[in-house]
Amino acid sequence: MDKALNQLSVPLGQLREEVMSLKSCVSEGIQAVDDRMTKQEDIRRKKMCVLRLIHVIQSVEKIEKILHSQGSKELSSLEGNSSLLTGQVLERIATEFNQLQFHAVQSKGMPLLDKVRPRIAGITAMLQQSLEGLLLEGLQTSNVDIIRHCLRTYATIDKTRDAEALVGQVLVKPYVDEVVVEQYVQSHPNGLQSMYNRLLEFVPHHCRLLREVTGGAISSEKADIVPGYDFLVNSVWPEIVHGLEEKLPSLFNPGNPDVFHEKYTTSMDFVRKFERQCGSQASVKRLRAHPSYHSFNNKWNLPVYFQIRFREIAGALEEALSDTLEEAPDGSSYCLLATHMVWTSLLKCWSDQMFLPLLAHRLWKLSLQILARYSVFIGEVSVRPISSENTKESKKSVSAGRKESSVSLSPSEEQGNGSSPESQTLPSLSSTQLVYVAADLDKLQDQIPDILEMIKPKLEMIGFKNMSCIAGALEDSKTSLSACVPTLNNRIIQDLSESSFTYLKSALEVPRLYRRTNKEVPTKASPYVDSALKPFYRLQNEYKGTLKQPMIHQWLESALSESTQKYYETVSDVLSSVKKMEESLKRLKQARRTATSNPVGTNGGMSDDNKIRLQLALDVEYYGEQIQKMGLETSNLKGFSALTELILTARDQATAEQS
């Protein structure tokens, strides 16, 4: 086996050497082919470079020849169609120049190109100069054909922006410099509006031919349109913005918010009118995407304007929400200055003199803040102590309080916000002021839906359509205000009840008036009953034009229920005391009769105790009659039926003993 393997190894080795030799020959062949292909590629590339350079030289010579021949013709001829001929020649030159530029770019870095470059620069300068001169000539002579040839030439050499820049510098800028004059704007009442009107007149008067040629006008024929230009966007608008920014810097000053608002609205109206002059929606989109458009809009410092307005509204509102609770001015639908200022502030936020579409979100937030601030104010007022002054005195204190508040308004409020309630004495308010607060709160809640109707057109103007969200937020504000109503009602009812019972407890003095005074039998109610009912009469008569009738009815019924309950307890105590005194006197008399033989006789009239009972009965009956005259049912008053039963028993007892 080993011998056989050794015999095979020799021929296998020879075969390997032959294969390796063949592989080497093939590799050498492949390398030779690659080398030749590389040389051919290099030759082809060099040939292309040579051809490009030849094209460059040929194009340069051809253009120079055309320019030379055209120059000779212009010197020897002054025909009317020379401008048109020049335009046609420039189109030929532009076509050739376009090819020259293409081949020159492809031949970049070649030594020969560097030698030819000065000639190319000269051609470029001459072509640019000729195009500029031709375009200006066409514009000055209103020659549509010259303008069309010139613009087509600019488009051929991809220099449309140069043509637009030239129009801006030569045609637009002088007009803008003439129209935009700060002294004129400031010295005339409608100077800014007049200036904008003159700027808008530029397009129809001076850009008519350009728009017809480039398709920006409705009357343009599609066959003769030169596409690729938008002179309104790239020529007119940038120069107008540059002129306004450079020559009218005071235009964007937000220091005076009223003047700023007027200037801004007038300027935005000008922008909208300028957009309407654009030939298409695509042109309007290009205008709005232009850097100068954004620059113009960014010049208007709307956040600073809003801050100034915010301070105006918040400052006036906080001054009105003072401790003095001043009365609203004449003609206001509200009773208090505080509520009047709240509603006035809301109206001001959305008035045409203040509202700006880009600030709608901030003004909406401010509106909710105003309502929230008023809700906090009502909560603070509802816990103040009620003074015992009468109406006239309370009104005097209001006017006196105004003078005091003007001295220490801001510092006391700012410090008060950070101190605890226990460290301060809450200012008191009169009953009248408390009623005014409740009346204003009720009226403001009724007017909250009017806010939605007021702001709806403004929000639709900016494309906002989710009115359910706005309505929900206003409903939340209304709910917050409604949460203050029960506390206010309870305070007013409590004040009415206490004011009434201050006089009703005079029933305790009835025994003193009749005991051992020998007064006649009572025939009418005591004066204290009328005094006790005066607060209710005043509420019903003086505030019927201010408060809703159901609200007055609710307050009267609740307050009278509390007063009647306390009155019942007072009368019951008096009758019990009278009965005890009567029994004590009887026992004393019986003791005296047994001690002496000559008993003390009576005068035969009504006893003092029965006079007291009868007086109380008359008082209660009169009390019930007056309540019914107010339009209330005594059956709805808690404790009145028990009071009536108590008095009927007393009257029966008095009349029975008399009979």
Side-chain angles (χ1 to χ4, degrees):
M1 182 61 71
D2 292 339
K3 185 177 180 180
L5 290 174
N6 289 332
Q7 289 177 353
L8 289 173
S9 62
V10 175
L12 287 174
Q14 294 176 351
L15 180 61
R16 181 182 178 186
E17 290 178 359
E18 292 175 359
V19 170
M20 294 300 294
S21 175
L22 180 61
K23 180 180 178 183
S24 176
C25 292
V26 171
S27 298
E28 291 175 359
I30 292 173
Q31 185 62 39
V33 171
D34 288 342
D35 292 342
R36 291 195 63 182
M37 292 183 67
T38 303
K39 289 179 181 179
Q40 287 181 353
E41 178 64 23
D42 187 52
I43 292 170
R44 188 187 66 80
R45 187 165 56 252
K46 290 178 179 179
K47 183 178 179 181
M48 291 296 297
C49 289
V50 171
L51 289 174
R52 291 194 193 98
L53 289 172
I54 292 173
H55 282 302
V56 169
I57 299 298
Q58 288 177 346
S59 296
V60 169
E61 291 176 348
K62 186 175 181 180
I63 293 173
E64 289 176 341
K65 184 177 180 181
I66 295 172
L67 290 174
H68 179 71
S69 62
Q70 180 62 22
S72 301
K73 289 181 180 179
E74 288 183 353
L75 289 174
S76 60
S77 176
L78 295 175
E79 297 177 357
N81 63 345
S82 61
S83 296
L84 179 59
L85 183 62
T86 304
Q88 293 174 340
V89 171
L90 282 176
E91 279 198 69
R92 288 175 54 197
I93 293 174
T95 303
E96 195 65 36
F97 182 78
N98 218 20
Q99 295 182 7
L100 170 62
Q101 288 288 87
F102 173 76
H103 292 302
V105 171
Q106 296 294 324
S107 304
K108 187 176 181 180
M110 301 299 294
L112 182 60
L113 182 65
D114 295 335
K115 292 180 180 181
V116 182
R117 197 174 295 280
R119 295 168 66 186
I120 297 175
I123 293 172
T124 304
M126 185 178 293
L127 181 60
Q128 190 80 13
Q129 184 178 0
S130 300
L131 283 172
E132 290 178 0
L134 189 63
L135 181 58
L136 292 177
E137 180 184 350
L139 292 173
Q140 291 169 357
T141 59
S142 300
N143 193 319
V144 178
D145 292 327
I146 292 179
I147 296 174
R148 184 177 291 110
H149 280 289
C150 192
L151 294 181
R152 192 177 289 124
T153 303
Y154 268 113
T156 302
I157 62 175
D158 197 22
K159 295 289 184 180
T160 55
R161 293 296 172 264
D162 291 352
E164 292 170 339
L166 177 65
V167 170
Q169 285 295 318
V170 177
L171 194 63
V172 184
K173 190 176 185 301
Y175 185 87
V176 172
D177 291 341
E178 178 186 345
V179 172
V180 181
V181 180
E182 187 169 14
Q183 184 179 0
Y184 174 81
V185 172
Q186 293 179 349
S187 60
H188 289 72
N190 294 322
L192 185 63
Q193 184 64 57
S194 301
M195 182 196 73
Y196 280 142
N197 289 338
R198 290 186 63 190
L199 289 175
L200 290 170
E201 291 172 359
F202 177 82
V203 174
H205 290 171
H206 300 276
C207 293
R208 181 180 57 83
L209 293 178
L210 288 173
R211 299 186 72 194
E212 287 182 2
V213 171
T214 58
I218 301 175
S219 60
S220 303
E221 296 181 6
K222 293 185 178 180
D224 297 329
I225 288 176
V226 181
Y229 292 92
D230 198 338
F231 287 102
L232 263 68
V233 174
N234 299 317
S235 301
V236 180
W237 178 254
E239 289 300 329
I240 289 177
V241 171
H242 184 265
L244 292 174
E245 292 177 353
E246 292 294 325
K247 303 188 67 178
L248 206 61
S250 61
L251 177 66
F252 308 99
N253 185 6
N256 187 327
D258 293 328
V259 175
F260 178 85
H261 183 276
E262 181 182 358
K263 290 180 178 179
Y264 179 81
T265 51
T266 304
S267 299
M268 292 301 107
D269 184 60
F270 162 71
V271 172
R272 285 190 291 272
K273 291 178 180 178
F274 188 87
E275 288 179 347
R276 293 192 196 105
Q277 291 184 339
C278 294
S280 62
Q281 286 293 327
S283 179
V284 174
K285 289 181 180 179
R286 286 193 293 270
L287 175 66
R288 293 177 178 176
H290 200 280
S292 61
Y293 189 91
H294 295 291
S295 172
F296 181 73
N297 285 328
N298 292 335
K299 278 284 184 179
W300 300 96
N301 203 334
L302 297 183
V304 172
Y305 165 77
F306 176 77
Q307 284 300 321
I308 296 174
R309 290 297 198 186
F310 180 86
R311 289 172 186 170
E312 285 182 359
I313 292 176
L317 182 61
E318 285 298 329
E319 186 175 353
L321 299 178
S322 61
D323 294 339
T324 55
L325 289 180
E326 299 179 22
E327 294 184 14
D330 295 337
S332 174
S333 59
Y334 292 96
C335 303
L336 296 174
L337 178 63
T339 320
H340 172 77
M341 286 303 301
V342 167
W343 185 249
T344 303
S345 300
L346 291 171
L347 294 178
K348 188 174 182 181
C349 285
W350 302 97
S351 66
D352 293 335
Q353 289 73 34
M354 178 177 170
F355 175 79
L356 293 177
L358 293 179
L359 294 177
H361 62 295
R362 293 174 183 251
L363 294 171
W364 169 237
K365 180 180 178 181
L366 177 57
S367 301
L368 295 179
Q369 288 175 324
I370 291 171
L371 292 173
R373 178 66 184 92
Y374 185 70
S375 178
V376 172
F377 169 74
I378 295 298
E380 294 171 350
V381 168
S382 62
V383 297
R384 292 188 193 177
I386 301 174
S387 63
S388 58
E389 300 169 330
N390 58 33
T391 307
K392 293 183 179 179
E393 290 174 344
S394 65
K395 289 184 178 178
K396 290 179 182 177
S397 69
V398 167
S399 60
R402 294 179 187 177
K403 297 179 181 178
E404 295 174 2
S405 66
S406 62
V407 178
S408 59
L409 175 65
S410 298
S412 63
E413 285 185 354
E414 291 175 2
Q415 295 171 2
N417 290 338
S419 59
S420 61
E422 292 80 10
S423 64
Q424 299 182 12
T425 302
L426 291 175
S428 62
L429 73 164
S430 66
S431 302
T432 300
Q433 291 172 334
L434 194 61
V435 171
Y436 282 169
V437 170
D440 282 0
L441 179 59
D442 183 65
K443 187 170 186 60
L444 183 62
Q445 289 183 86
D446 291 342
Q447 288 192 307
I448 281 182
D450 296 340
I451 300 176
L452 179 61
E453 297 303 319
M454 176 175 60
I455 68 178
K456 187 176 180 180
K458 306 288 186 181
L459 297 180
E460 289 177 346
M461 182 193 305
I462 61 174
F464 185 85
K465 298 180 180 178
N466 189 7
M467 292 303 163
S468 59
C469 175
I470 301 298
L474 288 175
E475 191 62 32
D476 290 343
S477 298
K478 186 176 180 179
T479 302
S480 177
L481 293 173
S482 300
C484 303
V485 173
T487 304
L488 271 178
N489 287 344
N490 292 336
R491 291 298 307 281
I492 292 172
I493 292 168
Q494 180 185 0
D495 179 58
L496 285 171
S497 174
E498 290 177 355
S499 300
S500 174
F501 186 67
T502 301
Y503 296 99
L504 287 178
K505 66 183 180 182
S506 297
L508 295 171
E509 301 296 324
V510 172
R512 184 178 60 81
L513 296 176
Y514 287 97
R515 198 171 299 283
R516 298 183 181 278
T517 58
N518 201 25
K519 288 187 69 172
E520 296 181 359
V521 177
T523 57
K524 61 179 181 179
S526 302
Y528 77 84
V529 180
D530 280 325
S531 299
L533 293 172
K534 277 183 181 179
F536 302 107
Y537 286 131
R538 189 161 143 284
L539 175 67
Q540 195 171 43
N541 296 327
E542 292 186 14
Y543 303 114
K544 59 184 178 181
T546 304
L547 298 168
K548 295 178 181 177
Q549 196 59 37
M551 183 181 293
I552 295 176
H553 190 278
Q554 177 194 350
W555 290 351
L556 290 176
E557 192 171 279
S558 300
L560 283 168
S561 293
E562 289 189 13
S563 300
T564 303
Q565 186 67 34
K566 293 178 181 178
Y567 190 33
Y568 166 76
E569 295 172 358
T570 302
V571 172
S572 178
D573 291 342
V574 171
L575 292 176
S576 297
S577 176
V578 167
K579 186 175 182 181
K580 290 179 181 178
M581 180 63 73
E582 185 179 35
E583 292 175 353
S584 177
L585 288 175
K586 283 182 179 180
R587 287 195 298 270
L588 181 60
K589 288 178 180 180
Q590 289 176 358
R592 285 180 178 179
R593 288 194 190 102
T594 57
T596 62
S597 59
N598 188 17
V600 180
T602 61
N603 56 11
M606 181 178 285
S607 66
D608 293 344
D609 296 326
N610 288 332
K611 290 179 183 179
I612 295 171
R613 292 188 180 96
L614 183 58
Q615 182 65 65
L616 290 175
L618 291 172
D619 293 346
V620 172
E621 289 171 358
Y622 181 75
Y623 179 71
E625 290 172 1
Q626 296 305 310
I627 289 175
Q628 290 178 341
K629 286 182 180 180
M630 293 181 193
L632 299 175
E633 294 293 335
T634 55
S635 58
N636 295 332
L637 303 182
K638 297 178 181 178
F640 191 83
S641 58
L643 178 62
T644 304
E645 291 177 5
L646 182 66
I647 287 305
L648 286 176
T649 304
R651 175 184 278 276
D652 292 342
Q653 184 177 352
T655 54
E657 292 182 5
Q658 180 66 23
S659 59

